[in-house]
């Protein structure tokens, strides 16, 4: 009997201020790197459209179905900082959800960074620990399942995550690693003792991307139709992983996304052989059925399902390397402010805005970007990195 | 299909994008089997066609150019008379049965309208720029506007070179949007040369093209990138003022004014420049940007420039924001990955902008009126 595993990524980046070459070397404080006004505006807007109403709806659904409806979250550190700064009630509502016992929390890097791709894994480990401390502080809980930034995954990362004591890891159910096999089972990394949860990208994207697409043959997607698709699925586990902002932000209220969510648990539970699990329950209940070998990093981003979204052109690679290479110097300086700024600059979104991939992926990038295109994104980010280096040397 | 096209300039003689457009369009139309008679004023340079179904027909002489203003001293107050005289001449010279008459911009609009009624033939009008663009939206001349408005009203179909221009035609001239098709221009790619530390402006030195903003940005770049040279290529009524401005800004050592360039010189300077800047106050399309990009030269263009509606791999600025213009120039000089990516991706995207595509879309428009 397949279990439905709903998991939501909750993240907001610290967007950057407009920073020109003329600002390099003549700034007083790192706080001018981050556009607090814009960040506040976006956070409050998304909190009202998505976080608060969706948390409220999910809490009602969990109560209504007596804990049979179960979900998982991962909250990034930058997101939590915004909550605490602008609307602490958002954090309270996540705490309320967690207290029901039907909600699990997932570990990741505090800064939603690409530190897992650095030459050595110290910085990655530090950022995961920071996230662990935050979850401990907020929920008094230690997550068992890890999800790296945008599900970036390879053998090296799996090994490290195992060493750090996690029992499960999330990534994309792409054919690149599965070939003919189904994403609806747990797998074991070829080199680590972990259980890998694989995103069922078709069913996930039916909601995440296609819900309001009128051209899509599945439109309009109703709760009973979606539940029927689940009921007909083979396997142990249907992993539906998506951005939390799917609800109310990527798809507005008017599309019917909230009615869909409201009715889905009831429709799913009408099928006797379906139930809901959190990510932790999934790895406790099910066994792995095979091995996966991932020598090159995959992710759930774009059509390529690799790291080209962040490291696909020379501009992105230049920013990534420049920032990475000053890490040692920053740590030696022992300056906590510098360290914090360096880490905030590592948030993967800054590189995402510099992606030049065209066509449909490009449209998605445009939707999320605060810049007029990837080149402006690069200039601004690179100018800030140069100023930051200037401060260091 | 037989088309009488009435133009004003045609390579090797040219003063602007209109000539480039007519050249690319007529040759690609001819390749697609359309019979084109291209009527234009007699020029000092030999003009001709090597294509059987494309005839270049010269009809007498005139001293007027499409970018002239009535206060042109050489015409000594004869501007309007010269325009009317030339249009009458064209009307008398166009003979034979055509499926469509196709005019470009205001200069031959009178002739186009007269021919439409005289020969009972549908009229197609391509708008490359309007009086609002050419005047930089400062004191547009009502005489041009009236001619343009009459032509737009009488034309059976209008081709605008951008959505930006279509909006102007609808909003400023009150034309029904349903009879306007947008066809973006194209480019014959120019070979990339050995890049030097040159930032290029190339265009008519008129209020419309915004060279003064280029010079202000150059001054801001100078202290940060002292080895960079700024080239202002082209001629126009603003030239003396721009030279004075460069002196006042203290950048006369960094700026080179080339005067008029030959076609080969233009290609050469596009090829060896590292950055092209198009700070136009108003730019219906901006073929020069496509030319620069085709030569592997990253381009900074006005946000409103028509081509950038359909083009991704370029940088955009407000023409008046010379701080941002300088920021982008310096970034292109300093950050090699930015320069390389824009150069490479720009050249790739340029491949979509072919005259073949322009001809196809133009034939679609002909088919709507025939």
């Amino acid at each position: 009997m397949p279990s439905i595993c709903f998991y939501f990524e909750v993240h907001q980046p610290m967007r950057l201020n407009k920073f020109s070459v003329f600002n390099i070397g003549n700034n007083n404080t790192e706080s001018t790197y981050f556009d607090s006004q814009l960040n506040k505006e976006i956070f409050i807007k998304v909190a009202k459209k998505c976080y608060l109403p969706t948390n409220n709806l999910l809490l009602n659904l969990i109560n209504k179905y007596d804990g049979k409806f179960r979900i998982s979250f991962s909250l990034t550190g930058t997101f939590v900082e915004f909550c605490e700064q602008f609307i602490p009630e958002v954090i309270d509502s996540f705490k309320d959800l967690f207290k029901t016992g039907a909600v699990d929390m997932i570990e990741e890097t505090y800064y939603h960074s690409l530190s897992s791709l650095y030459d050595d894994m110290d910085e990655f480990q530090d950022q995961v620990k920071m996230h662990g401390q935050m979850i401990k502080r907020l929920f008094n809980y230690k997550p068992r399942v890890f999800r790296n930034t945008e599900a970036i995954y390879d053998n090296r990362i799996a090994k490290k995550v195992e060493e750090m004591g996690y029992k499960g890891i999330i990534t994309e159910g792409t054919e690149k690693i599965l070939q003919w096999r189904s994403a609806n089972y747990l797998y074991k990394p070829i080199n680590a003792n972990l259980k890998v949860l694989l995103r069922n990208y078709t069913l996930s994207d039916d909601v995440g991307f296609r819900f309001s697409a009128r051209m899509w043959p599945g439109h309009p997607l109703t709760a009973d139709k979606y539940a029927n698709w689940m009921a007909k699925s083979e396997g142990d586990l249907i992993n539906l992983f998506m951005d939390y902002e799917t609800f109310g932000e990527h798809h507005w209220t008017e599309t019917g996304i909230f009615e869909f969510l409201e009715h889905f648990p009831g429709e799913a539970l009408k099928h006797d052989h379906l139930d809901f699990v959190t990510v932790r329950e999934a790895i406790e209940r099910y066994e792995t059925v095979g091995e996966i070998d991932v020598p090159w990093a995959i992710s759930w981003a774009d059509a390529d399902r690799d790291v080209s979204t962040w490291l696909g052109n020379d501009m992105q690679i230049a920013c990534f390397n420049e920032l990475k290479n000053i890490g040692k110097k920053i740590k030696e300086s022992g300056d906590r402010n510098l360290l914090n700024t360096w880490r905030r600059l590592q948030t993967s979104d800054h590189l995402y805005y510099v992606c030049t991939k065209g066509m449909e992926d490009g449209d998605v990038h445009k939707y999320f970007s605060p810049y007029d295109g990837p080149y402006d994104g690069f200039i601004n980010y690179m100018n800030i990195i140069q100023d930051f280096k200037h401060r260091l040397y | 299909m037989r088309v009488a096209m009435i133009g004003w300039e045609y390579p090797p003689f040219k003063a602007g994008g209109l000539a480039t457009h007519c050249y690319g369009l007529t040759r690609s139309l001819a390749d697609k089997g359309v019979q084109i008679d291209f009527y234009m004023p007699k020029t000092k340079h030999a003009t001709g066609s090597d294509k059987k179904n494309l005839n270049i027909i010269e009809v007498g002489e005139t001293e007027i150019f499409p970018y002239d203003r009535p206060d042109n001293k050489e015409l000594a107050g004869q501007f309007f008379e010269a325009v009317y005289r030339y249009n009458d001449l064209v009307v008398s010279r166009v003979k034979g049965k055509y499926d469509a008459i196709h005019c470009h911009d205001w200069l031959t609009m009178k002739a186009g309208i007269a021919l439409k009624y005289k020969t009972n033939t549908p009229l197609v009008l391509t708008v490359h720029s309007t009086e609002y663009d050419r005047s930089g939206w400062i004191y547009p001349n009502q005489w041009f506007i009236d001619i343009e408005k009459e032509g737009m009203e009488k034309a059976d179909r209008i081709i605008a070179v951008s959505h930006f221009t279509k909006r102007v035609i609808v909003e400023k001239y009150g034309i029904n949007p349903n009879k306007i098709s947008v066809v973006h221009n194209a480019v014959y790619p120019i070979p990339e040369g050995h890049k030097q530390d040159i930032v290029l402006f190339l265009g008519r030195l008129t209020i419309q093209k915004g060279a003064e903003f280029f010079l202000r940005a150059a001054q801001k770049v100078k202290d940060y990138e002292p080895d960079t040279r700024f080239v202002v290529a082209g001629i126009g009524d603003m030239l003396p003022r721009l030279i004075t401005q460069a002196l006042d800004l203290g950048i006369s050592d960094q700026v080179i004014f080339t005067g008029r360039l030959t076609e080969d010189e233009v290609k050469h300077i596009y090829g060896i420049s590292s950055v092209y800047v198009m700070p136009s106050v108003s730019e219906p399309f901006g073929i020069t940007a496509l030319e620069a990009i085709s030569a592997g030269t990253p381009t900074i263009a006005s946000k409103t420039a028509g081509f950038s509606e359909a083009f991704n791999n370029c940088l955009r600025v407000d023409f008046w924001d010379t701080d941002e213009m300088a920021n982008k120039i310096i970034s292109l000089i300093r950050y090699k990955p930015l320069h390389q990516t824009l150069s490479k991706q720009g050249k790739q995207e340029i491949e979509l902008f072919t005259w073949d595509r322009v001809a196809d879309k133009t034939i679609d428009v002909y088919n709507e009126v025939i």
Side-chain angles (χ1 to χ4, degrees):
Chain A
M1 84 178 227
S3 300
I4 301 167
C5 182
F6 252 122
Y7 149 60
F8 306 112
E9 167 177 321
V10 195
H11 169 57
Q12 286 293 331
M14 294 192 178
R15 294 166 196 84
L16 301 172
N17 258 321
K18 168 79 194 151
F19 202 95
S20 100
V21 290
F22 302 113
N23 298 122
I24 296 173
N26 56 13
N27 256 71
N28 306 323
T29 157
E30 292 105 60
S31 66
T32 55
Y33 291 169
F34 302 98
D35 189 340
S36 39
Q37 190 57 38
L38 176 69
N39 287 322
K40 183 179 178 180
E41 276 169 25
I42 292 179
F43 184 81
I44 290 173
K45 187 189 80 179
V46 181
K48 283 183 180 157
K49 285 168 82 172
C50 167
Y51 304 140
L52 290 168
T54 317
N55 279 5
N56 187 41
L57 175 59
L58 290 173
L59 186 63
N60 291 340
L61 288 170
I62 288 167
N63 290 333
K64 181 175 174 187
Y65 295 103
D66 211 11
K68 287 198 185 72
F69 180 52
R70 310 180 74 76
I71 50 176
S72 309
F73 286 107
S74 85
L75 316 179
T76 66
T78 50
F79 169 80
V80 169
E81 286 186 35
F82 285 143
C83 288
E84 293 178 333
Q85 214 178 334
F86 305 131
I87 314 185
E89 298 92 292
V90 176
I91 280 296
D92 295 341
S93 66
F94 277 110
K95 286 180 181 168
D96 291 342
L97 278 167
F98 188 75
K99 276 183 215 147
T100 62
V103 172
D104 195 18
M105 288 290 163
I106 296 167
E107 201 86 283
E108 69 165 302
T109 64
Y110 186 94
Y111 294 96
H112 203 68
S113 74
L114 299 183
S115 55
S116 59
L117 303 174
Y118 291 179
D119 314 321
D120 65 55
M121 298 288 254
D122 305 5
E123 175 62 14
F124 173 70
Q125 183 165 336
D126 287 353
Q127 292 186 20
V128 175
K129 278 186 183 161
M130 277 183 78
H131 190 268
Q133 287 159 4
M134 180 188 82
I135 297 296
K136 176 88 182 155
R137 171 171 69 82
L138 295 174
F139 305 102
N140 193 25
Y141 177 70
K142 174 156 178 49
R144 304 296 192 278
V145 176
F146 181 85
R147 194 268 299 127
N148 197 19
T149 304
E150 305 298 316
I152 293 171
Y153 176 98
D154 62 18
N155 291 340
R156 192 176 81 128
I157 294 165
K159 186 75 199 158
K160 184 72 192 173
V161 168
E162 180 206 15
E163 280 172 26
M164 293 176 71
Y166 298 95
K167 304 299 176 200
I169 186 167
I170 287 170
T171 190
E172 176 73 350
T174 168
E175 287 80 3
K176 282 186 195 182
I177 58 169
L178 285 171
Q179 290 93 33
W180 57 272
R181 300 175 294 179
S182 163
N184 294 354
Y185 294 92
L186 294 175
Y187 291 83
K188 181 187 152 333
I190 194 164
N191 61 334
N193 192 18
L194 273 178
K195 288 177 176 174
V196 184
L197 295 111
L198 296 168
R199 190 174 84 111
N200 183 317
Y201 68 80
T202 310
L203 288 168
S204 299
D205 291 346
D206 284 343
V207 178
F209 288 155
R210 290 182 282 272
F211 184 80
S212 50
R214 291 172 183 280
M215 301 289 282
W216 175 47
H219 185 89
L221 183 61
T222 55
D224 62 322
K225 191 197 288 183
Y226 197 53
N228 275 326
W229 291 350
M230 307 280 143
K232 280 187 280 182
S233 296
E234 303 282 333
D236 292 336
L237 192 59
I238 303 164
N239 291 314
L240 303 173
F241 302 162
M242 59 196 78
D243 288 352
Y244 199 34
E245 294 79 11
T246 297
F247 303 99
E249 214 286 320
H250 303 349
H251 305 294
W252 295 355
T253 309
E254 294 74 29
T255 64
I257 190 78
F258 286 113
E259 285 83 356
F260 170 80
L261 181 58
E262 186 181 345
H263 291 107
F264 178 66
E267 291 296 332
L269 291 169
K270 278 183 189 167
H271 300 273
D272 290 339
H273 67 297
L274 290 178
D275 70 352
F276 290 95
V277 291
T278 66
V279 288
R280 179 175 176 171
E281 289 156 353
I283 61 166
E284 286 169 355
R285 188 187 296 179
Y286 297 107
E287 292 307 319
T288 58
V289 300
E291 289 192 335
I292 56 165
D293 181 12
V294 188
W296 292 284
I298 58 164
S299 79
W300 65 31
D302 293 348
D304 294 325
R305 303 285 201 265
D306 57 17
V307 295
S308 61
T309 302
W310 308 277
L311 299 171
N313 65 42
D314 293 346
M315 301 186 292
Q316 295 172 307
I317 290 166
C319 293
F320 174 82
N321 282 334
E322 292 232 2
L323 201 60
K324 179 190 73 181
N325 292 342
I326 54 177
K328 196 160 170 277
K329 185 107 181 161
I330 283 173
K331 290 188 174 174
E332 282 167 6
S333 80
D335 185 326
R336 292 181 66 87
N337 283 334
L338 281 180
L339 185 62
N340 187 29
T341 301
W342 180 59
R343 286 177 168 163
R344 286 175 174 181
L345 290 173
Q346 288 180 52
T347 298
S348 58
D349 302 66
H350 304 309
L351 286 170
Y352 181 87
Y353 304 140
V354 187
C355 181
T356 47
K357 279 194 277 180
M359 314 221 278
E360 67 258 64
D361 285 349
D363 287 340
V364 175
H365 292 214
K366 255 185 214 166
Y367 176 78
F368 289 109
S369 177
Y371 300 105
D372 178 21
Y375 302 107
D376 282 29
F378 168 82
I379 292 170
N380 209 57
Y381 188 37
M382 193 51 132
N383 285 344
I384 285 177
I385 293 172
Q386 295 309 313
D387 183 74
F388 192 56
K389 277 170 70 179
H390 200 268
R391 203 159 289 182
L392 200 58
Y393 290 99
Chain B
M1 191 185 289
R2 271 174 64 88
V3 174
M5 195 176 288
I6 306 170
W8 204 265
E9 33 173 34
Y10 200 82
F13 168 76
K14 61 184 225 180
L18 207 158
T20 311
H21 175 94
C22 288
Y23 183 76
L25 174 64
T26 52
R27 294 180 71 81
S28 284
L29 282 175
D31 287 342
K32 290 175 185 294
V34 179
Q35 170 72 45
I36 308 271
D37 290 342
F38 188 84
Y39 295 89
M40 64 175 291
K42 197 168 172 49
T43 59
K44 294 188 196 88
H45 307 274
T47 297
S49 156
D50 53 4
K51 293 189 190 291
K52 191 167 54 60
N53 50 343
L54 168 60
N55 299 313
I56 310 293
I57 302 169
E58 294 181 311
V59 287
E61 291 182 18
T62 182
E63 302 79 39
I64 305 162
F65 300 130
Y67 313 103
D68 272 341
R69 315 295 299 168
D71 52 8
N72 186 329
K73 289 187 190 68
E74 284 153 39
L75 293 169
Q78 299 295 301
F79 182 83
F80 301 110
E81 288 76 0
V83 171
Y84 289 125
R85 198 162 54 238
Y86 185 71
N87 275 278
D88 290 344
L89 191 59
V90 172
V91 174
S92 68
R93 285 291 304 275
V94 174
K95 293 269 159 41
K97 179 74 189 134
Y98 292 103
D99 296 305
I101 296 159
H102 189 165
C103 282
H104 297 269
D105 277 4
W106 67 272
L107 238 171
T108 55
M109 239 174 243
K110 286 271 177 206
I113 295 164
L115 284 166
K116 168 182 163 135
Y117 293 110
K118 183 180 160 191
T119 64
N120 198 22
T121 308
L123 174 64
V124 174
L125 166 66
T126 296
V127 178
H128 299 266
S129 71
T130 66
E131 172 59 12
Y132 294 95
D133 301 306
R134 292 185 302 271
S135 65
W137 296 78
I138 302 164
Y139 305 124
N141 184 311
Q142 194 60 38
W143 184 81
F144 292 101
I145 292 173
D146 289 344
I147 289 196
E148 287 172 340
K149 188 164 164 40
E150 186 189 3
M152 291 170 188
E153 283 169 350
K154 302 268 165 73
D156 296 277
R157 293 291 305 181
I158 296 171
I159 295 172
V161 292
S162 61
H163 294 286
F164 168 80
T165 295
K166 178 170 176 172
R167 264 196 307 281
V168 174
I169 296 170
V170 172
E171 286 169 14
K172 303 301 288 186
Y173 295 84
I175 303 298
N176 176 1
N178 294 332
K179 79 169 191 184
I180 309 170
S181 306
V182 172
V183 181
H184 291 113
N185 272 309
V187 67
Y188 290 120
I190 291 166
E192 183 166 352
H194 182 68
K195 296 291 181 200
Q196 301 178 20
D197 290 341
I198 292 172
V199 182
L200 175 68
F201 172 97
L202 189 148
R204 286 188 309 281
L205 305 180
T206 59
I207 190 133
Q208 181 194 351
K209 299 293 179 179
E212 56 181 298
F213 302 105
F214 177 75
L215 293 182
R216 283 192 218 161
Q219 188 204 24
K220 290 169 181 166
V221 173
K222 186 188 122 177
D223 294 338
Y224 291 82
E225 296 295 332
D227 295 335
T228 301
R229 292 290 165 272
F230 296 85
V231 171
V232 176
I235 52 167
D237 53 23
M238 298 271 288
L239 179 59
R241 243 195 285 174
L242 291 166
I243 292 173
T244 310
Q245 189 194 359
L247 284 165
D248 291 346
L249 292 169
I251 53 170
S252 48
D253 286 352
Q254 277 76 34
V255 181
I256 301 160
F257 290 92
T258 67
R260 184 196 285 285
L261 297 182
T262 66
E263 197 145 333
D264 285 343
E265 287 167 340
V266 166
K267 285 181 182 162
H268 179 69
I269 193 78
Y270 277 134
I272 65 168
S273 294
S274 287
V275 181
Y276 179 65
V277 185
M278 193 176 72
S280 304
V281 174
S282 191
E283 189 58 76
F285 186 81
I287 289 187
T288 58
L290 293 192
E291 289 174 337
I293 294 164
S294 79
T297 308
T299 291
I300 303 168
S302 276
K303 272 184 183 167
T304 53
F307 87 94
S308 80
E309 309 165 348
F311 200 87
N312 295 309
N313 291 291
C314 65
L315 301 178
R316 278 176 276 268
V317 291
D318 290 308
F319 66 86
W320 44 262
D321 190 353
T322 52
D323 281 337
E324 181 58 14
M325 206 180 287
N327 177 36
K328 287 184 164 151
I329 292 169
I330 295 170
S331 294
L332 277 167
I333 295 166
R334 281 192 190 168
Y335 302 141
K336 291 287 167 264
L338 174 68
H339 193 277
Q340 282 162 6
T341 310
L342 263 169
S343 175
K344 194 175 80 186
Q345 310 247 36
K347 279 200 285 188
Q348 266 174 27
E349 195 175 1
I350 278 291
E351 288 170 16
L352 303 171
F353 289 76
T354 62
W355 291 111
D356 187 67
R357 177 191 54 87
V358 174
D360 280 339
K361 295 198 160 184
T362 303
I363 289 171
D364 289 345
V365 172
Y366 293 156
N367 281 328
E368 286 170 26
V369 296
I370 292 171

